[in-house]
Coordinates of all heavy atoms in Angstrom, one line a residue:
Chain E
K60 N 68.8 -5.9 64.5 CA 67.4 -6.4 64.3 C 66.6 -5.3 63.5 O 65.8 -5.7 62.6 CB 66.8 -6.6 65.7 CG 65.6 -7.3 65.8 CD 65.7 -8.8 65.6 CE 64.5 -9.3 64.9 NZ 64.6 -10.5 64.1
I61 N 66.7 -4.1 63.9 CA 66.0 -3.0 63.1 C 66.4 -3.0 61.7 O 65.6 -2.9 60.8 CB 66.2 -1.7 63.8 CG1 65.6 -1.7 65.3 CG2 65.6 -0.5 63.0 CD1 66.0 -0.4 66.1
D62 N 67.7 -3.1 61.5 CA 68.2 -3.1 60.1 C 67.6 -4.2 59.2 O 67.2 -4.1 58.1 CB 69.7 -3.1 60.0 CG 70.3 -1.9 60.6 OD1 69.5 -1.0 61.0 OD2 71.5 -1.9 60.8
Q63 N 67.5 -5.4 59.9 CA 66.8 -6.6 59.3 C 65.4 -6.3 58.8 O 65.1 -6.6 57.7 CB 66.8 -7.7 60.2 CG 68.0 -8.7 60.1 CD 67.9 -9.7 61.2 OE1 66.9 -10.1 61.6 NE2 69.1 -10.3 61.5
I64 N 64.7 -5.7 59.7 CA 63.3 -5.3 59.4 C 63.2 -4.3 58.3 O 62.4 -4.5 57.3 CB 62.5 -4.8 60.7 CG1 62.4 -5.9 61.7 CG2 61.2 -4.2 60.3 CD1 61.9 -5.5 63.1
V65 N 64.0 -3.3 58.4 CA 64.0 -2.3 57.3 C 64.4 -2.9 55.9 O 63.8 -2.7 54.9 CB 65.0 -1.1 57.6 CG1 65.1 -0.2 56.5 CG2 64.5 -0.4 58.9
D66 N 65.4 -3.8 56.0 CA 65.8 -4.5 54.7 C 64.7 -5.3 54.1 O 64.6 -5.5 52.9 CB 67.1 -5.3 55.0 CG 68.3 -4.5 55.3 OD1 68.2 -3.2 54.9 OD2 69.2 -5.0 55.8
K67 N 63.9 -5.9 55.0 CA 62.8 -6.8 54.6 C 61.9 -5.9 53.6 O 61.3 -6.5 52.7 CB 62.0 -7.2 55.8 CG 61.1 -8.4 55.5 CD 60.5 -8.9 56.8 CE 59.0 -8.7 56.9 NZ 58.4 -8.9 58.2
Y68 N 61.7 -4.7 53.9 CA 60.9 -3.8 53.1 C 61.7 -2.9 52.1 O 61.3 -1.9 51.6 CB 60.1 -2.8 54.0 CG 59.1 -3.6 54.9 CD1 59.4 -3.8 56.2 CD2 57.9 -4.2 54.3 CE1 58.5 -4.5 57.0 CE2 57.1 -4.9 55.1 CZ 57.4 -5.1 56.4 OH 56.5 -5.8 57.2
H69 N 63.0 -3.4 51.8 CA 63.9 -2.8 50.8 C 64.1 -1.3 51.1 O 64.4 -0.6 50.2 CB 63.3 -3.0 49.4 CG 62.8 -4.3 49.1 ND1 63.7 -5.5 49.1 CD2 61.6 -4.8 48.9 CE1 62.9 -6.5 48.8 NE2 61.7 -6.2 48.8
G70 N 64.0 -0.9 52.4 CA 64.3 0.5 52.8 C 63.4 1.5 52.1 O 63.7 2.7 52.0
E71 N 62.2 1.0 51.7 CA 61.3 1.9 51.1 C 60.6 2.8 52.1 O 60.0 2.3 53.0 CB 60.2 1.1 50.4 CG 60.5 0.7 49.0 CD 60.3 1.8 48.0 OE1 59.4 2.6 48.2 OE2 61.0 1.9 47.0
P72 N 60.7 4.2 52.0 CA 60.1 5.0 53.0 C 58.5 4.8 53.2 O 58.0 5.0 54.2 CB 60.3 6.4 52.5 CG 61.4 6.3 51.5 CD 61.4 4.9 51.0
S73 N 57.9 4.3 52.0 CA 56.4 4.2 52.2 C 56.1 3.0 53.1 O 54.9 2.8 53.5 CB 55.8 3.9 50.8 OG 56.3 2.7 50.3
Y74 N 57.1 2.2 53.5 CA 56.8 1.1 54.4 C 57.0 1.4 55.8 O 57.1 0.6 56.7 CB 57.6 -0.1 54.0 CG 57.1 -0.8 52.8 CD1 57.6 -0.7 51.5 CD2 56.0 -1.7 52.9 CE1 57.1 -1.3 50.4 CE2 55.4 -2.4 51.8 CZ 56.0 -2.2 50.5 OH 55.5 -2.8 49.5
L75 N 57.2 2.7 56.1 CA 57.4 3.2 57.4 C 56.5 2.6 58.4 O 56.9 2.1 59.5 CB 57.4 4.8 57.5 CG 57.4 5.5 58.9 CD1 58.8 5.1 59.6 CD2 57.3 6.9 58.7
I76 N 55.2 2.6 58.2 CA 54.2 2.1 59.1 C 54.4 0.6 59.3 O 54.4 0.1 60.5 CB 52.8 2.3 58.6 CG1 52.5 3.8 58.5 CG2 51.8 1.8 59.6 CD1 51.2 4.2 57.9
Q77 N 54.7 -0.1 58.2 CA 54.9 -1.6 58.3 C 56.1 -1.9 59.2 O 56.2 -2.8 60.0 CB 55.1 -2.2 57.0 CG 54.0 -1.8 56.0 CD 52.5 -2.2 56.5 OE1 52.3 -3.3 56.9 NE2 51.6 -1.2 56.5
V78 N 57.2 -1.1 59.0 CA 58.4 -1.3 59.7 C 58.2 -1.1 61.2 O 58.5 -1.9 62.1 CB 59.5 -0.3 59.3 CG1 60.7 -0.3 60.2 CG2 60.0 -0.7 57.8
L79 N 57.4 0.0 61.6 CA 57.2 0.3 63.0 C 56.3 -0.8 63.5 O 56.5 -1.2 64.7 CB 56.5 1.7 63.2 CG 57.4 2.9 62.8 CD1 56.6 4.2 63.1 CD2 58.7 2.9 63.6
L80 N 55.3 -1.3 62.8 CA 54.4 -2.4 63.2 C 55.3 -3.6 63.6 O 55.0 -4.3 64.6 CB 53.4 -2.8 62.2 CG 52.1 -2.0 62.2 CD1 51.2 -2.4 61.0 CD2 51.4 -2.1 63.5
D81 N 56.2 -3.9 62.8 CA 57.1 -5.1 63.0 C 57.9 -4.9 64.3 O 58.0 -5.8 65.1 CB 58.0 -5.4 61.8 CG 57.3 -6.0 60.7 OD1 56.1 -6.3 60.8 OD2 58.0 -6.4 59.7

Side-chain angles (χ1 to χ4, degrees):
Chain E
K60 190 79 213 157
I61 294 170
D62 294 355
Q63 266 177 23
I64 293 174
V65 172
D66 290 343
K67 196 172 113 193
Y68 296 105
H69 315 293
E71 273 282 328
S73 65
Y74 284 100
L75 172 59
I76 299 171
Q77 309 302 310
V78 169
L79 294 182
L80 273 176
D81 281 5

